Amino acid sequence: MEKDFEPNILVFACNWCSYAGMDLAGTSRLQYPHNLKVIRVMCSGRINPVHILEAFANGADGVLVTGCHPGDCHYISGNYKTRRRIMLLERLLEQFGVEKERLRLEWVSASEGERFANIAKEFVEQIRKLGPNRIAEKLRKEVAVV
Amino acid sequence: MSKPKLAIIPGANCAGCDYSLLDLGEKIIDVLIATEIAYWPTAADLKLEDLEKLPDGSIDIVLFEGAVNNDETEEMAKLARKKAKNLIAFGACACFGGIPGLANVASRDSILQKAYIKSLSTVNQQGIVPYKITKVDGGELTVPELLETVKSLDQVVKVDYYLPGCPPPLKLTADALVAALSGKLPPKGTVFGSMKSVCDDCKRIRENKRITEIKRYHQIVPDAEKCLLEQGIVCMGPATRGGCDAICPTVNIPCRGCMGPTSESRDQGARMLSALSSVIGLEGEAGVSDEDVRKLVLQIKDPLGTFYRYTLPKSIMRRVWGVRE
C-alpha cells in the first residue's frame, strides 16, 4: 500500500434514488470518506461509457456508479441498461489494463443513506488497497501536443 | 498557370488506399491531367530527394496514408506536413491508427519477441531481433525503429482533412479531390463522410428486437433482409460514421467500423458498447441475476478488438496499459 495515497473517486448518482440516498446520509449525519466527488445525473442510464473512460484517463482512481434498485427506475428500464453496460465495460477495462475493481455498480435507494455510507467506506478502502491509477500519468507522457 | 501538385505519401500502410484510387477507372486520367504528381512511390518514379527539394508548403494536396508506427513513418509524416498546403489523412490508418494501431494492445518488445522468436512458424536459431543499428562487415546497417505506441497522423502533425475508410469509399475520395482541385475545400478539420451513422444508410429492416444471444458470423447464415445486429451478429453500424452507403451490410457482411466514430462521438468503442448494451437483454430483467447478465454480455469475446478494430490509437485510452505477452 502506498503511503499518503488518498483515492480520488468519482461517483455518478441518479437523481431519483441514489442522490437522495446520499442526501439522507448527509442529513442523518452519517460519516463517510471525503474522497468521493459526486456528479448527479438524471438516470444511471445517462452515464455513457465515455464518461467512465474519460474519468480513468484523467486520473480517477475509482468510479462508483449508483442507480435505483431493479424495478425502481424512474424511467422504467434505465438501470437495466446501466447494468449491462457496466458489466461489458468491466471486461473492456480489464482488456485496457485497468483493474475492473476500480469500477463498481451499486443500487442505492432514497431511503438507504446508511447503505450508501457503508458502500462509500468499503469502496474507498478497496481503492486504497489497489493503489493509485497510473494511466493518466502515462497517457500525459505519451500524448504529443500537436 | 501551373497545375496543382498532388503527392501521395505512405506511412505504415498496406497500399490498399493507393489501389482504391485505381477504382476511379478512366477518371484517374483526368486526375493525372489536372495535376502534377509531386511524389507517389507506388505509381511514379520520383525519389524522396525530389520531394525534399520542393519548397515548403508547395504541394497543394498531400494524401498521407497509413499510421505512424516507427521513426521513419514519423519523419515522413513531418515531411508531408512541411511540404503540404492541404494535408489529408487518407484512409482509416492515417485517420485513427487503423489495423496497425492494434499493435497498441502489446508492448513493442513483446511484439518483436513474438514476431521474431516465439511464434511457432519462426525459425531463428540465433535469436536475431532487428535493432535500430546492426554492425556488419564493412559498416553499419540501420532499420527504422518501432515506436512504443502506434499513432494516428494527427497525433504527430496537424491534419487539415480526414478521409476515413478502409479503403476510403471512392465517392468520398472523388469528392475530396474535386473539392481540392477546384479550390472549394470545406472548412479545415472536416471529415469527408456522412454526419450520420452507417445504420442510416443501411437498407436492412429493423424491428427493435432484443437480442438474447450473440452469434459469431460463422455460426449462422444471416437473413438477407433483417438487421444483422438484431440477428445477434456484432455489427458496428450504430457506432460508425456513414458515407460508405453501408456496402458491407448490403452484401451480408457486418460493419467492422472502418469509417471511424460518428460525428457525435469521439470514442467509437464506447459508443458501440453503449449501443450494444441497449439492444441485448433478457426477458423480465428485474428478476434476472447479475451473473446471468454478465454471462450474456460476456458472449462478446473480445470487446476491445471488436469495438476498436480501426480506432485504438485514437480512443480515449489510446493503448493497453499493462503487460500483455
Side-chain angles (χ1 to χ4, degrees):
Chain A
M1 209 187 294
E2 226 163 292
K3 256 194 206 165
D4 307 325
F5 165 55
E6 275 305 326
N8 189 0
I9 290 169
L10 196 65
V11 185
F12 291 101
C14 99
N15 178 56
W16 304 101
C17 298
S18 312
Y19 195 79
M22 282 173 208
D23 231 12
L24 183 64
T27 47
S28 319
R29 309 227 167 185
L30 296 170
Q31 293 208 349
Y32 59 87
H34 61 271
N35 307 59
L36 312 178
K37 298 183 170 86
V38 183
I39 296 176
R40 181 172 63 103
V41 288
M42 288 311 280
C43 175
S44 59
R46 168 67 186 90
I47 302 155
N48 192 312
V50 165
H51 299 145
I52 296 169
L53 289 171
E54 283 276 13
F56 285 121
N58 282 293
D61 297 308
V63 174
L64 175 62
V65 175
T66 58
C68 308
H69 283 272
D72 288 352
C73 178
H74 189 80
Y75 306 100
I76 298 163
S77 61
N79 51 356
Y80 300 144
K81 275 183 192 158
T82 309
R83 178 160 70 168
R84 300 193 291 260
R85 239 175 237 170
I86 297 291
M87 283 180 177
L88 192 49
L89 188 58
E90 275 177 1
R91 175 79 192 104
L92 185 67
L93 284 175
E94 268 185 313
Q95 285 192 300
F96 270 125
V98 180
E99 299 90 343
K100 69 172 180 193
E101 292 76 19
R102 293 192 187 277
L103 175 63
R104 185 149 159 187
L105 173 66
E106 289 287 352
W107 308 131
V108 176
S109 81
S111 61
E112 292 176 329
E114 200 177 340
R115 180 174 146 78
F116 172 72
N118 289 337
I119 289 169
K121 277 178 218 157
E122 221 182 280
F123 191 51
V124 170
E125 273 324 297
Q126 186 180 327
I127 299 298
R128 211 185 285 281
K129 270 184 208 136
L130 274 174
N133 162 24
R134 299 265 183 227
I135 286 173
E137 237 170 85
K138 291 183 199 158
L139 260 172
R140 232 171 285 133
K141 258 185 237 160
E142 279 285 325
V143 179
V145 181
V146 176
Chain B
M1 206 180 95
S2 67
K3 291 183 198 173
K5 285 195 178 71
L6 171 74
I8 300 179
I9 300 181
N13 70 333
C14 68
C17 298
D18 264 336
Y19 287 109
S20 81
L21 285 175
L22 295 180
D23 289 340
L24 284 168
E26 285 167 12
K27 284 197 188 119
I28 199 160
I29 297 170
D30 297 339
V31 175
L32 295 176
I33 291 170
T35 58
E36 183 191 331
I37 302 292
Y39 187 69
W40 185 3
T42 339
D45 188 18
L46 289 155
K47 303 290 181 244
L48 192 55
E49 287 88 344
D50 301 318
L51 177 63
E52 281 165 345
K53 262 183 248 159
L54 290 170
D56 290 355
S58 67
I59 309 175
D60 301 84
I61 314 155
V62 173
L63 300 175
F64 186 93
E65 48 173 0
V68 177
N69 73 333
N70 62 30
D71 51 3
E72 187 192 22
T73 48
E74 197 165 25
E75 279 312 307
M76 289 306 279
K78 285 177 184 159
L79 187 64
R81 175 70 273 178
K82 218 164 92 182
K83 302 296 173 191
K85 199 176 282 173
N86 292 299
L87 178 59
I88 304 180
F90 185 42
C93 301
C95 291
F96 327 111
I99 296 288
L102 283 175
N104 284 0
V105 301
S107 69
R108 173 180 54 189
D109 291 338
S110 68
I111 289 171
L112 287 173
Q113 287 290 320
K114 181 83 183 176
Y116 288 93
I117 298 187
K118 285 186 190 159
S119 84
L120 290 175
S121 57
T122 303
V123 179
N124 181 2
Q125 279 158 351
Q126 290 154 284
I128 298 168
V129 173
Y131 294 107
K132 172 88 183 147
I133 297 165
T134 309
K135 287 204 170 78
V136 291
D137 290 346
E140 281 178 346
L141 293 175
T142 58
V143 290
E145 190 173 35
L146 287 181
L147 301 177
E148 185 65 40
T149 296
V150 179
K151 298 170 185 173
S152 63
L153 182 60
D154 66 357
Q155 287 169 338
V156 182
V157 292
K158 200 175 171 306
V159 169
D160 299 321
Y161 300 99
Y162 298 85
L163 195 46
C166 183
L170 199 59
K171 189 185 71 178
L172 298 179
T173 310
D175 283 355
L177 286 176
V178 167
L181 292 175
S182 59
K184 285 177 188 151
L185 277 164
K188 293 214 164 164
T190 298
V191 181
F192 287 92
S194 148
M195 294 300 277
K196 293 178 174 171
S197 74
V198 171
C199 290
D200 288 287
D201 296 338
C202 184
K203 303 277 185 300
R204 286 173 175 270
I205 301 155
R206 256 192 289 183
E207 294 166 325
N208 291 324
K209 246 176 41 187
R210 279 287 190 79
I211 49 177
T212 51
E213 198 189 344
I214 302 285
K215 297 190 188 86
R216 301 191 59 193
Y217 189 70
H218 63 271
Q219 290 172 321
I220 59 164
V221 179
D223 187 295
E225 305 284 314
K226 289 180 184 157
C227 173
L228 288 169
L229 198 54
E230 288 182 354
Q231 296 181 58
I233 295 171
V234 179
C235 173
M236 290 285 288
T240 305
R241 182 185 289 270
C244 57
D245 295 328
I247 40 177
C248 298
T250 305
V251 293
N252 247 357
I253 299 288
C255 171
R256 289 158 41 105
C258 72
M259 289 289 285
T262 56
S263 54
E264 292 142 13
S265 77
R266 54 166 294 207
D267 191 288
Q268 193 179 13
R271 180 87 184 80
M272 189 61 206
L273 192 149
S274 243
L276 198 57
S277 311
S278 301
V279 296
I280 53 178
L282 301 164
E283 287 301 314
E285 261 200 287
V288 175
S289 73
D290 285 0
E291 261 331 292
D292 287 345
V293 176
R294 186 169 285 125
K295 254 184 230 155
L296 176 69
V297 300
L298 290 188
Q299 288 177 11
I300 301 157
K301 292 294 170 223
D302 177 17
L304 189 142
T306 312
F307 300 164
Y308 292 99
R309 186 177 273 127
Y310 292 92
T311 57
L312 184 56
K314 273 291 268 185
S315 67
I316 292 169
M317 297 303 247
R318 288 187 48 139
R319 63 162 301 127
V320 167
W321 300 94
V323 191
R324 183 155 142 168
E325 296 301 327

